[in-house]
Amino acid sequence: MKKALILIASAAMILLSGNAFAQGRRSADIPKYPGLADTPQMGWNSWNRFMTEINEELIMATADAMVDLGLVDAGYVYLNLDDGWHGERDELGFITCDPVKFPHGMKALADYLHSKGMKLGIYSDAGNFTCAGYSGSRGHEYQDAITYASWGVDYLKYDWCATQNVNAKGAYTLMRNALGKAGRPILFSMCEWGTSKPWEWAADVAHSWRTTHDIGPAFLPVPITYNEQGRPNWRPQSIIDIINQNEPLRKYAGPGHWNDPDMLEVGNNITVNGIYYEMTDSEDRAHFTIWCMMAAPLLLGNDLTKITPESLAIITNKDMIAVDQDPLGIQGLRLINTETLQYWFKPLVNGDWAFCVMNIGEEPANIALDWSALEVDDELSGRKTDFANINYTVKSIWTPNDKPFNTLVKGKGKQRKQMVTNVVNVTVPVHDVVAYRLTPVK
Ligand code: GLA
């Protein structure tokens, strides 16, 4: 009897949802869930460090570490399972989780995370298979959305492998509608690597879209190598590659719809095709800073059970996170880009600006910060600096005790007394940054 009831309920669910498509009818469009990513999402994702080697024990230990290390308090609330959590589909086509990796099931995991003030993210794919070969959601969109909702899932990363002849806008809109029908607030994160220029059409479809192929812990571009058949080996996109691809897309980002330059590599290392990749703490700091300047989702990708104090200090810097999470949601701009130095500005609330200089050269850079030569006129946001007439206090984000900067940069009359100097000499170490928050003095 119970089984019969379940079968009837399942059949009704399919009729009400995905089957409308199978029969060629178009079910009504349902807008994406509002208010889920007014600032870029923050959390941790399993892929960069663990690939498909994930299980309940690891995920719960990671959740515990996120609380104990103060990461949840710092804003990293999503814990996202990437590829490899899947089991088989059951006889009705409903997806299950791997019973060996996750013996207590996804609902129990979601309950555990929710009890800690965290949220659960999950991963699927618009094609027949995920990138690691597990079952994709194609043809099961409504079933999968309703399953995730019943488990208490809060976030879906939706990938793009095995999608020959699939229209990207159609496939992602279909899943958006399915999530809408399932009725639970689920943040929808598109991962089609920028292939169909989602920034041009996905603001109403998803809360973020990947803009590049997969990142790795490499600061400078990685040379191409070839396999025995003469085909290019997979190689990670470097921090510099990704910045160059993501920076020109700034006009498309904003509250609720972000450019996603991929997950963070701070504190991570990998070996691919026999090559070991790891970044220095300086490179990690530069990477994290520019992701914050670009208003990127901040999804950690390292082993949090073994994090170093240096990595932890980078990812929990409150002033830097505030730049990323600024409520205006304006992606920063690269004002100057030479072979070795990049100068970035990001308009923030209340007339503030974030400013940083990144050194991608192989020597420390001694630079004179001459504010009068750094005026910004940002057409996109309508914001301008006015160093000639407005006094700003300058707070150094990575070295808050740096006194020379904790002062006005320009002043007239009485204020002139408070002025230290307009031109300040700073050294930017190799593959590192200096970063400041400028606040107008009222
Ligand atoms: C693609 C995505 C990655 C990761 C893997 C999982 O490569 O871009 O971020 O999700 O698939 O297989």
Side-chain angles (χ1 to χ4, degrees):
M1 177 64 182
K2 202 169 160 205
K3 198 162 183 199
L5 276 179
I6 293 172
L7 278 174
I8 292 167
S10 308
M13 216 149 69
I14 296 168
L15 267 178
L16 280 172
S17 51
N19 215 29
F21 280 85
Q23 292 169 5
R25 282 189 285 118
R26 216 184 131 73
S27 99
D29 275 342
I30 306 177
K32 73 180 187 191
Y33 207 93
L36 291 182
D38 288 345
T39 61
Q41 63 266 35
M42 293 174 66
W44 178 89
N45 174 293
S46 52
W47 183 257
N48 284 359
R49 173 69 247 157
F50 297 103
M51 303 183 88
T52 58
E53 303 295 307
I54 52 175
N55 59 55
E56 196 173 275
E57 215 178 306
L58 167 77
I59 297 305
M60 287 169 80
T62 300
D64 295 347
M66 288 174 79
V67 173
D68 296 345
L69 295 168
L71 292 168
V72 175
D73 284 344
Y76 297 93
V77 293
Y78 287 102
L79 194 162
N80 297 346
L81 305 180
D82 207 281
D83 213 344
W85 60 267
H86 316 69
E88 302 296 325
R89 289 192 179 275
D90 69 14
E91 68 275 17
L92 294 172
F94 286 93
I95 191 72
T96 63
C97 65
D98 183 317
V100 177
K101 289 176 174 173
F102 295 94
H104 295 92
M106 284 298 147
K107 174 89 175 67
L109 191 57
D111 288 347
Y112 185 73
L113 295 177
H114 293 156
S115 78
K116 290 179 162 279
M118 300 175 67
K119 292 170 186 287
L120 173 63
I122 216 163
Y123 161 98
S124 190
D125 189 289
N128 293 325
F129 299 100
T130 71
C131 297
Y134 296 88
S135 178
S137 289
R138 189 172 179 189
H140 294 279
E141 292 85 357
Y142 281 75
Q143 265 185 313
D144 286 357
I146 213 157
T147 303
Y148 304 152
S150 75
W151 287 342
V153 165
D154 306 291
Y155 186 117
L156 174 65
K157 171 176 171 179
Y158 204 45
D159 214 335
W160 191 238
C161 279
T163 51
Q164 288 75 10
N165 304 320
V166 179
N167 174 279
K169 189 172 179 186
Y172 282 98
T173 305
L174 176 59
M175 190 42 123
R176 179 204 65 189
N177 289 343
L179 292 172
K181 193 89 179 169
R184 186 178 165 83
I186 295 182
L187 191 154
F188 190 31
S189 145
M190 283 178 50
C191 177
E192 61 72 84
W193 323 306
T195 313
S196 66
K197 301 192 175 158
W199 42 88
E200 289 179 354
W201 53 263
D204 294 336
V205 176
H207 298 96
S208 63
W209 49 79
R210 279 273 299 278
T211 55
T212 72
H213 286 280
D214 291 6
I215 195 170
F219 190 69
L220 298 178
V222 175
I224 304 181
T225 58
Y226 295 89
N227 65 16
E228 280 163 10
Q229 290 77 45
R231 294 222 183 91
N233 286 318
W234 184 87
R235 70 195 162 119
Q237 295 287 295
S238 70
I239 301 306
I240 300 303
D241 289 322
I242 289 186
I243 290 171
N244 288 337
Q245 292 168 65
N246 198 64
E247 188 271 340
L249 306 176
R250 66 182 292 256
K251 78 169 181 201
Y252 299 103
H257 52 96
W258 306 103
N259 289 320
D260 174 5
D262 208 355
M263 301 167 294
L264 293 162
E265 291 285 6
V266 177
N268 193 28
N269 60 71
I270 54 168
T271 301
V272 183
N273 298 324
I275 305 173
Y276 179 75
Y277 298 96
E278 186 179 26
M279 293 196 284
T280 63
D281 290 330
S282 289
E283 291 169 336
D284 278 350
R285 185 165 33 248
H287 161 40
F288 189 74
T289 301
I290 303 296
W291 260 234
C292 291
M293 295 297 281
M294 296 195 299
L298 298 179
L299 297 167
L300 306 167
N302 58 326
D303 183 350
L304 293 176
T305 65
K306 298 197 180 102
I307 190 167
T308 64
E310 290 77 14
S311 298
L312 185 62
I314 292 171
I315 61 177
T316 54
N317 183 307
K318 287 204 166 58
D319 293 325
M320 204 68 247
I321 292 174
V323 170
D324 180 79
Q325 296 289 301
D326 185 81
L328 291 185
I330 301 168
Q331 182 172 324
L333 62 106
R334 184 162 59 182
L335 185 74
I336 298 173
N337 182 22
T338 72
E339 242 172 57
T340 54
L341 292 175
Q342 301 191 4
Y343 289 59
W344 289 73
F345 278 87
K346 182 179 194 280
L348 307 176
V349 278
N350 300 326
D352 284 16
W353 289 87
F355 164 64
C356 78
V357 183
M358 174 167 68
N359 177 8
I360 67 173
E362 302 306 323
E363 300 290 335
N366 299 312
I367 54 172
L369 287 183
D370 177 359
W371 301 101
S372 62
L374 291 173
E375 295 287 9
V376 183
D377 183 353
D378 179 23
E379 237 174 72
L380 180 70
S381 64
R383 289 277 301 274
K384 290 180 184 183
T385 58
D386 187 2
F387 295 123
N389 294 299
I390 300 177
N391 297 310
Y392 292 85
T393 57
V394 184
K395 182 176 185 193
S396 171
I397 291 178
W398 292 113
T399 51
N401 297 326
D402 231 349
K403 284 296 176 216
F405 299 98
N406 222 349
T407 183
L408 305 180
V409 292
K410 185 86 183 170
K412 287 183 186 149
K414 272 188 192 163
Q415 283 172 337
R416 189 169 273 279
K417 286 187 194 139
Q418 296 170 273
M419 189 179 82
V420 170
T421 175
N422 291 338
V423 181
V424 191
N425 295 310
V426 293
T427 301
V428 193
V430 175
H431 297 185
D432 208 329
V433 277
V434 292
Y436 308 102
R437 185 178 183 118
L438 316 182
T439 303
V441 177
K442 298 275 164 21

